[in-house]
Amino acid sequence: MDSILVTGNGPLNGAIPIAGAKNACLTLMPATLLSEEPLTLTNAPRLSDIRTMTSLLQSLGAEVTALQDGKVLAMSSHAIDNHTAHYDIVRKMRASILVLGPLLARDGHAVVSLPGGCAIGARPVDLHLKALEAMGAELDLRDGYVHAKAPGGRLHGGVVDFPLVSVGATENALLAATLAKGTTVLKNAAREPEIIDLAECLIRMGAQIEGHGTSTVTIQGVERLNGATHPVVTDRIELGTYMLAPAICGGEVELLGGRRNLLEAFCQTLEQAGVEVTDTDTGLKVTHKAGRVKAVDVVTEPFPGFPTDLQAQMMALMCTADGVATLEEKIFENRFMHAPELMRMGAQIDLQGGTAKVTGVDRLKGAPVMATDLRASVSLILAGLAAEGETRVSRVYHLDRGYEHVVRKLSSVGAKIERIKES
Ligand code: UD1
């Protein structure tokens, strides 16, 4: 298994291009199932999760061709001949559940494996299922699979009032509602930029959607959707991650394609910590003189709050901040698995349930550490950039799920980082 070797060194300077959003692309790809005409996504990220979704869609009979080295995904679903998403694929990636709504809306039936638990908690899919039931779906859970049917072959509009904000359940419901008969109202819907991107793509395909980006989304179902070409929105989590690199070891880095409105709460937190964030014509620039940032408290929340997907990386920054920072994780239980690894590097972290109290130290020390999930792995790389000596991060397959060319991107701004290939 490959590992990544990082050697802490001086300030970083230069520019890093930010890719299209993994999480947007993973919900845009299943939209192909809603139309017999081609859907083309541009600005797609080159990641293993995208390849997993490609395999899943292909297993259903969709044609998915990666063009321009994977930056363009040309998809067509004129011949869907399989309506089962098997456990083998779903267990690799929870976002596989996002084919359920589209398959059901298109052909009135689908069988999708339940994803099971994952490293950052139980993560059930009950809200996805309740939303589809509100649209008339009949569901039968057996043998680890959801067997879903739309009576009469078509879903109907309904009111879905989510008891808690779920990105994936909002996406599944939105996808399904586009072809349902009548009007669907999603209340307490997620407002993430990836939801807005999905709605904009569906509108290009002919869907009638209003209110996306607010907590009430109204969808008027149509008879059919057409093809479209859509650019994937910028990856705000990759953006935030690389914004932390100059914050953690000093320097000035421009994040090309970055926009403040994708990450307002995160930008404010960085500024409170004493890091300068400037809007430029081409992106966002982060400037920090070498030296410790101020400790700041963080509470993760649904958008527009501080994203849970940047909590681990922010913890890496707080490990060497001046003072004591409290990080409260409100979205997922068990999302502090990076903390013991950071402690191996000399971090002082006190974990109490969903709260981590981080007392900043002068400097971290390099150590062999293990990635436990996608965002945890990149937090260890960030910590390694600022640490004294060498940090070797193992199990980097997690990283390949969500960060394209991480070594190339960080090396280009002066980081000492390399991938060690092992058989
Ligand atoms: C998505 C993102 C993930 C991010 C998360 C929160 C993708 C592919 N993944 O995940 O990177 O961390 O949003 O911003 O876009 N819940 C239920 N029942 C459900 C669904 C969710 O109880 O049916 C709970 C979850 O366990 C969690 C909370 O709701 O505690 C929010 O999860 P959700 O927004 O659904 O996350 P995902 O869509 O899985």
Side-chain angles (χ1 to χ4, degrees), residues 84-88 90-91 96-97 111-116 144-146:
T84 302
H86 285 285
Y87 179 61
D88 278 354
V90 180
R91 75 180 165 83
S96 307
I97 191 78
V111 179
V112 176
S113 170
L114 289 164
Y145 281 77
V146 185

Side-chain angles (χ1 to χ4, degrees), residues 355-397:
T355 301
K357 213 163 101 183
V358 185
T359 306
V361 296
D362 253 348
R363 192 136 193 223
L364 295 175
K365 292 205 167 43
V369 288
M370 204 167 68
T372 49
D373 69 50
L374 170 57
R375 307 305 171 184
S377 44
V378 84
S379 79
L380 298 172
I381 290 180
L382 287 173
L385 290 175
E388 191 183 325
E390 280 185 359
T391 298
R392 184 188 278 252
V393 184
S394 58
R395 296 203 180 168
V396 292
Y397 53 86

Side-chain angles (χ1 to χ4, degrees), residues 23 26 95 123-128 164-168 308-309 331-332 335:
N23 287 351
L26 287 176
R123 294 182 84 173
V125 291
D126 56 318
L127 301 176
H128 298 241
L164 59 91
V165 178
S166 161
V167 175
T308 173
D309 285 351
I331 307 292
F332 294 112
R335 205 178 195 181

Side-chain angles (χ1 to χ4, degrees), residues 36-195:
E36 307 229 325
E37 292 174 26
L39 173 63
T40 301
L41 298 176
T42 59
N43 197 36
R46 278 73 56 94
L47 301 168
S48 65
D49 269 9
I50 302 302
R51 291 190 287 277
T52 304
M53 184 57 87
T54 298
S55 304
L56 172 56
L57 292 172
Q58 287 170 336
S59 77
L60 304 173
E63 287 167 17
V64 184
T65 313
L67 305 168
Q68 294 182 27
D69 189 28
K71 270 202 121 173
V72 173
L73 296 171
M75 302 179 288
S76 171
S77 298
H78 59 272
I80 296 304
D81 54 6
N82 171 33
H83 291 77
T84 302
H86 285 285
Y87 179 61
D88 278 354
I89 294 190
V90 180
R91 75 180 165 83
K92 277 198 221 158
M93 190 183 69
R94 297 178 46 81
S96 307
I97 191 78
L98 293 173
V99 300
L100 177 59
L103 279 177
L104 198 52
R106 173 197 176 106
D107 290 328
H109 62 106
V111 179
V112 176
S113 170
L114 289 164
C118 73
I120 59 173
R123 294 182 84 173
V125 291
D126 56 318
L127 301 176
H128 298 241
L129 304 185
K130 285 203 178 91
L132 296 172
E133 275 180 331
M135 285 181 241
E138 288 176 358
L139 307 176
D140 183 14
L141 271 58
R142 63 189 137 88
D143 313 324
Y145 281 77
V146 185
H147 297 253
K149 273 205 181 93
R154 190 171 178 196
L155 293 172
H156 60 67
V159 176
V160 182
D161 197 352
F162 292 108
L164 59 91
V165 178
S166 161
V167 175
T170 302
E171 291 167 346
N172 230 335
L174 184 55
L175 285 158
T178 55
L179 290 181
K181 192 174 168 55
T183 307
T184 300
V185 182
L186 308 180
K187 296 184 179 174
N188 200 23
R191 293 179 279 164
E192 269 66 3
E194 293 75 25
I195 305 273

Side-chain angles (χ1 to χ4, degrees), residues 294-308:
K294 285 188 254 170
V296 276
D297 294 341
V298 168
V299 180
T300 63
E301 283 170 343
F303 192 86
F306 190 100
T308 173

